[in-house]
Amino acid sequence: MSQYSSDTFTTKRVLCLAFILAISSWIPLQAQNTMVIDADQPQNKINEHIYGQFSEHLGTGVYGGLWVGEDSDIPNTDGFRNDVLKALRELEIPNLRWPGGCFADEYNWRDGIGPREDRPVRINTHWGMVEENNAVGIHGFMRLTELLDTEPYISANVGSGTPREMANWIEYMTYDGNSTLANLRRENGQDEAWDVKFWGIGNESWGCGGSMKADYYSDLYRRYATFAKDYSGNDLYKIASGFSDDNYDWTETVVKNAGNHMDAISLHYYTLPNGDWGNKGPSQDFGEEMYFSGLRQGLRLDEFVTRHSTIMDKYDPQKRINLAVDEWGVWTDPLPGSNPGFLQQQNSIRDALVASTSLDILNKHSDRVRLANIAQTVNVLQAMVLTEGEKMLKTPTFHVFEFYTVHHNAMLLPLDLQVENYEFGDESIPAISATASKNSEGAVHVTATNLHATQSQEVTVDIRGLEVGSVSNARVLTANEVDAINTFDNPERVSPKEFNNYTLDGNNLTLRLPSKSVIVLQIK
């Protein structure tokens, strides 16, 4: 090669390199999703009660959903549907909140005891103005908790009740001595006193529970809490009524004035896909815009839990008082043609991912959040199961809760996530959400969610502090469309499948998550 040719070649190489460097300055590098898990640095326990459920006397949540009566042609145990019981047992429900909700503050516990034919018929003024025949009362509800192997969480009537009414209710249920109320319980068929730990003293006392101001409720709460007694070794866990969303003044006032009298204060947050109570958005037949908006609204739970917790830290730095997020979930417009007071909606893959990201948030804050209840269990709002006559189906949200049973009472593991954003229009959210925990047997479980509607995501997981031998029990929940739902004609459309799209190289695990999916797996 001549000198001229060599110089020309060198010049071209330099110019080419310069061109590559120039364009690389404005071409964005492909972001990488990374997850670092410190398996040998467990933090606080993820209390199983974060995974609580909520069953209010509302629409067909109890009657027709859980309860059909002993004489029904639908197979049942003591009036409760066998198919629903079997499904709900899979979720290992730790606690079940009852009888409301707004219904609790117009409920008199005496209406639900004694012979069913003698019980009064009341009007459910909050939910559809329908007749409440009190077929399911205290004894029925407690039987339900036995059938589900779950703890009862009772919401006491503060809005229209009295301290004596609540005190009598507690004595009726939990005293094992020779009192008139304890003997009345025995006459009604329950010889032994029940253990009933969780008691909510008021529900949304700022709204449907009495339209109270924070100072007034603080004093009223102290009064009620004074007469909520421990009987026969039953140690009450008293939950004050907190606010919803971003009303931080209520939390500060109530914790400051009554914190010494409570074990927890509640927080309610409902994900409205449109962010508008007057136009929440549909639960079916929607596109990516409503999908993205619903996910973005759901992630706001982290903001509210963080800021309410910060206020509580001011008065309770030891975190003795828990934050009980005892109403949360997706709330959409009611299904067309349904009674709007029944809060009946469908349940899509979007809602399942709102559930998984919300549970990730609650797990992350489990040093302060030790109790939560999704709304609701059957046929109402973001339900676990839907029923129609003899038919029953499991919703996509059901499967998320079943996935997350691996985190019950496990130790939260530090999780460093560096992820891409999912962008839609002018908005963006993190594409990946996850929880890692370690159980008492030393197994690490990971749940990971890809929120992106159309793009799969590769996640590189660096597992530290554990000699990884295997990955097992891996499953995935996903769908082809952002609004995919299960129907009675196609109840398995959105259901778990085996997940094998991963590789393990020593302590490095690479996950390839499909779009709009959540996975669960075990590492040992």
Side-chain angles (χ1 to χ4, degrees), residues 15 31 63 77 111 132 247 270 292 309 349 400 419 425 501-502:
L15 289 173
Y63 302 112
T77 300
D111 290 348
E132 166 63 57
N247 194 310
Y270 285 101
F292 179 88
S309 297
I349 186 66
V400 167
V419 303
N501 201 1
Y502 63 86

Side-chain angles (χ1 to χ4, degrees), residues 330-398:
V330 177
W331 191 332
T332 70
D333 294 330
L335 287 176
S338 66
N339 185 328
F342 284 8
L343 307 187
Q344 187 177 355
Q345 61 191 49
Q346 249 296 350
N347 194 299
S348 66
I349 186 66
R350 176 201 62 191
D351 304 336
L353 302 190
V354 170
S356 65
T357 54
S358 296
L359 291 171
D360 290 339
I361 291 166
L362 298 176
N363 291 341
K364 182 178 73 171
H365 291 281
S366 53
D367 60 336
R368 176 71 79 178
V369 179
R370 300 189 187 100
L371 184 143
N373 303 81
I374 189 170
Q376 293 187 7
T377 312
V378 184
N379 288 340
V380 177
L381 297 175
Q382 193 175 353
M384 303 298 106
V385 300
L386 303 178
T387 66
E388 185 180 87
E390 296 181 354
K391 300 177 182 178
M392 186 216 73
L393 64 80
K394 300 172 182 177
T395 67
T397 297
F398 173 99

Side-chain angles (χ1 to χ4, degrees), residues 14-317:
V14 170
L15 289 173
C16 183
L17 180 60
F19 177 73
I20 292 172
L21 290 173
I23 64 173
S24 68
S25 66
W26 58 266
I27 295 178
L29 295 174
Q30 182 68 28
Q32 185 177 16
N33 300 308
T34 62
M35 182 189 307
V36 178
I37 300 173
D38 292 311
D40 60 346
Q41 299 180 32
Q43 297 174 320
N44 49 274
K45 179 183 288 188
I46 301 173
N47 197 309
E48 64 177 342
H49 289 290
I50 287 174
Y51 293 85
Q53 295 284 332
F54 178 27
S55 185
E56 183 168 7
H57 284 238
L58 195 172
T60 57
V62 174
Y63 302 112
L66 286 163
W67 168 267
V68 290
E70 295 92 338
D71 298 330
S72 174
D73 292 335
I74 297 173
N76 66 86
T77 300
D78 296 333
F80 292 100
R81 299 179 60 128
N82 288 344
D83 54 356
V84 173
L85 293 173
K86 180 182 178 183
L88 294 181
R89 286 191 200 104
E90 295 178 39
L91 303 184
E92 301 175 19
I93 296 171
N95 73 82
L96 183 62
R97 186 170 179 243
W98 176 88
C102 293
F103 179 80
D105 281 290
E106 62 180 21
Y107 181 70
N108 188 318
W109 65 272
R110 289 180 179 272
D111 290 348
I113 62 174
R116 221 175 264 136
E117 62 273 15
D118 295 337
R119 296 178 189 176
V121 175
R122 308 294 187 192
I123 309 301
N124 190 332
T125 63
H126 286 292
W127 306 120
M129 299 297 290
V130 297
E131 295 177 355
E132 166 63 57
N133 65 10
N134 288 293
V136 176
I138 294 171
H139 293 256
F141 172 68
M142 293 303 294
R143 178 58 177 148
L144 174 62
T145 64
E146 293 168 359
L147 293 169
L148 293 177
D149 191 23
T150 187
E151 288 194 51
Y153 170 8
I154 302 290
S155 291
N157 182 343
V158 171
S160 65
T162 65
R164 179 181 293 276
E165 180 184 311
M166 181 200 67
N168 287 346
W169 191 355
I170 296 170
E171 181 184 339
Y172 177 90
M173 297 189 75
T174 65
Y175 184 55
D176 67 359
N178 184 30
S179 76
T180 298
L181 287 168
N183 289 332
L184 179 60
R185 181 193 69 241
R186 296 182 179 100
E187 290 173 16
N188 289 324
Q190 179 65 25
D191 289 336
E192 295 183 2
W194 287 297
D195 293 324
V196 187
K197 176 180 179 180
F198 300 112
W199 285 82
I201 301 180
N203 167 77
E204 295 191 357
S205 298
W206 42 269
C208 65
S211 299
M212 304 175 197
K213 295 181 179 179
D215 284 322
Y216 176 80
Y217 173 74
S218 297
D219 289 341
L220 191 63
Y221 172 84
R222 290 164 63 102
R223 181 184 176 201
Y224 270 75
T226 299
F227 294 99
K229 307 289 188 181
D230 295 336
Y231 293 107
S232 307
N234 184 68
D235 187 16
L236 298 184
Y237 179 99
K238 303 172 188 178
I239 304 168
S241 173
F243 218 93
S244 66
D245 305 359
D246 60 355
N247 194 310
Y248 304 112
D249 290 341
W250 178 281
T251 296
E252 177 144 19
T253 299
V254 175
V255 171
K256 178 176 66 176
N257 294 337
N260 291 338
H261 298 263
M262 69 182 66
D263 296 290
I265 185 170
S266 69
L267 170 66
H268 292 177
Y269 176 60
Y270 285 101
T271 295
L272 314 178
N274 263 336
D276 180 356
W277 280 101
N279 179 26
K280 303 178 189 72
S283 61
Q284 57 186 21
D285 301 324
F286 55 83
E288 186 176 356
E289 180 178 6
M290 193 64 60
Y291 168 85
F292 179 88
S293 178
L295 296 176
R296 184 170 59 84
Q297 291 292 337
L299 291 172
R300 295 197 68 196
L301 176 63
D302 187 46
E303 169 194 343
F304 300 133
V305 171
T306 298
R307 294 191 62 183
H308 284 281
S309 297
T310 299
I311 291 169
M312 296 172 69
D313 288 343
K314 180 179 176 181
Y315 301 97
D316 177 38

Side-chain angles (χ1 to χ4, degrees), residues 473-492:
N473 301 328
R475 292 177 294 154
V476 61
L477 184 74
T478 188
N480 292 327
E481 297 85 23
V482 295
D483 60 348
I485 58 176
N486 291 333
T487 66
F488 294 107
D489 292 330
N490 190 2
E492 301 294 329

